[in-house]
Amino acid sequence: MRLVVQRVARAEVSVEGRTVGRIGAGMAVLAGVEVGDGQDQVEAAAARLVRLRFFDDERGRMNLDVRKSGGAVLLVSQFTLAASTRKGRRPSFDRAALREMAEPLLEALRLRLEAAGVPVECGRFGARMRVDLVNDGPVTFVLDF
């Protein structure tokens, strides 16, 4: 599982011109599920996202996690994160998990984050989505599990 995590001032995702998920301050998480991923990756990703301290405290230092900052998560599936661009001009998506595996794992990630007390909004799996966000910092991390 590969995640691109961005600290945002706000973020929203829309499908066919209609907003399906919106948050204020928090983190936008683009999530790509790869062949072989399972519950272990979900647990590790949820734990890392909940504990990752990259929000500013009162002194402007990255000391707060998403819960302590009062933020939320916008979780958006993005199978292109599993692409390989090593050969040729067209990306290969052989490493991307099929929908039957990926969608339940992303749903499990959402549920784990919510169980940890983090508000979560989501995109729509498999849809062509537009993600609009304001990266705060900018702060962006790539996490692999």
Side-chain angles (χ1 to χ4, degrees):
M1 183 176 286
R2 172 169 278 180
L3 306 178
V4 174
V5 181
Q6 297 181 310
R7 185 176 72 184
V8 298
R10 64 165 183 79
E12 73 176 58
V13 59
S14 59
V15 176
E16 297 178 0
R18 300 183 74 176
T19 299
V20 296
R22 176 184 291 145
I23 64 168
M27 64 172 75
V29 178
L30 306 176
V33 180
E34 298 176 320
V35 172
D37 285 348
Q39 198 59 39
D40 289 345
Q41 285 72 28
V42 169
E43 296 296 326
R48 177 70 57 87
L49 290 171
V50 168
R51 294 190 327 257
L52 188 62
R53 297 186 319 169
F54 74 119
F55 293 95
D56 292 345
D57 64 13
E58 64 280 350
R59 296 180 302 186
R61 296 197 175 148
M62 288 192 221
N63 277 325
L64 302 178
D65 61 37
V66 66
R67 290 179 295 187
K68 289 186 179 174
S69 74
V73 169
L74 179 66
L75 180 63
V76 178
S77 65
Q78 189 170 346
F79 82 97
T80 59
L81 290 175
S84 172
T85 57
R86 291 185 183 209
K87 295 192 296 186
R89 297 182 305 153
R90 183 184 312 236
S92 167
F93 298 104
D94 292 344
R95 293 185 342 205
L98 296 174
R99 179 184 194 120
E100 296 77 26
M101 293 299 296
E103 190 171 13
L105 291 177
L106 289 178
E107 177 63 11
L109 178 57
R110 179 187 69 79
L111 292 172
R112 293 295 297 158
L113 293 170
E114 288 178 343
V118 179
V120 180
E121 293 279 323
C122 296
R124 186 173 300 148
F125 193 94
R128 184 176 181 112
M129 296 176 274
R130 287 189 171 245
V131 180
D132 180 33
L133 59 87
V134 176
N135 191 321
D136 182 16
V139 176
T140 303
F141 298 101
V142 177
L143 307 175
D144 289 303
F145 299 95

